[in-house]
Amino acid sequence: MRTALGEPDARAAVTFLGADRIEVLRFREGDVVRYATLGMSAHPMTDPAAMVADPVRGPRAELVLSVRAGVADTDKVLRPLAVLAASPQVEGVVVVPGAALDVGGPLWPGAPFTSVLVAEPGGLVADLELDAPLEPVRFLPLLPMTPNEAAWKRVHGAQALRERWLTHGTDLRDPARRSVPLD
């Protein structure tokens, strides 16, 4: 992460019962602040339907959220991000691109977003290759969604929502943006 994002200027750690410690690092780059999890990839994600969890094989990931700095109190996103990063250990969730992850409340105080869309890896932070047989760590961007966008995504799919954002020129880094028109 340091190669792609530089040195973090802040970090926080959260520990959940039954899960390893998750850290959230904050990186500033101009008018953008990025929050990245650290610790989610310590164990491979395992399909909850699997009879036995493989301690070596399986996808590994960390989460990255990018927002415009100074528009909202986004530093309060640390705990919700840690909750999302702990979900593979705690709930057996396999986090993949196109998935929606809900935090059950605003991502930060006053945020119009209660969930995120998991985007494709490989843009901002390159995959981290690990020694075989371990799969690489993928750095998955998170795109905040309003409750209406999340509901629309459930019906029409992630690709349709991404196309709608693109068509309307939606600034997905704006922490105070409104929902994209969904009619």
Side-chain angles (χ1 to χ4, degrees):
M1 281 191 278
R2 286 184 171 133
T3 301
L5 304 175
E7 286 297 317
D9 68 350
R11 66 190 320 144
V14 180
T15 304
F16 300 97
L17 186 61
D20 292 340
R21 176 175 134 145
I22 301 288
E23 289 188 64
V24 179
L25 309 176
R26 183 181 68 195
F27 301 86
R28 291 192 185 272
E29 181 183 333
D31 71 336
V32 175
V33 62
R34 299 183 202 287
Y35 301 94
T37 64
L38 183 61
M40 179 178 168
S41 63
H43 303 284
M45 294 181 275
T46 305
D47 183 345
M51 293 297 237
V52 178
D54 188 327
V56 176
R57 290 183 176 83
R60 294 173 188 263
E62 296 292 348
L63 308 175
V64 180
L65 174 69
S66 300
V67 294
R68 299 237 177 267
V71 179
D73 188 12
T74 57
D75 278 350
K76 303 287 190 211
V77 76
L78 301 176
R79 184 163 181 76
L81 273 182
V83 168
L84 295 177
S87 63
Q89 287 183 56
V90 176
E91 299 174 21
V93 173
V94 177
V95 179
V96 296
L101 305 174
D102 194 302
V103 297
L107 286 173
W108 54 82
F113 316 108
T114 58
S115 60
V116 294
L117 177 65
V118 180
E120 293 292 331
L124 184 62
V125 182
D127 293 349
L128 175 62
E129 296 297 326
L130 302 175
D131 293 334
L134 304 177
E135 291 187 29
V137 176
R138 304 212 185 302
F139 295 87
L140 302 172
L142 300 179
L143 308 173
M145 292 190 295
T146 65
N148 286 343
E149 290 169 339
W152 199 85
K153 182 251 177 219
R154 280 191 295 275
V155 173
H156 300 283
Q159 183 59 33
L161 179 58
R162 284 191 296 269
E163 288 172 10
R164 184 152 298 254
W165 282 334
L166 187 59
T167 299
H168 290 277
T170 305
D171 180 1
L172 296 174
R173 292 182 181 168
D174 181 353
R177 75 170 177 84
R178 295 178 183 234
S179 183
V180 69
L182 300 170
D183 48 1

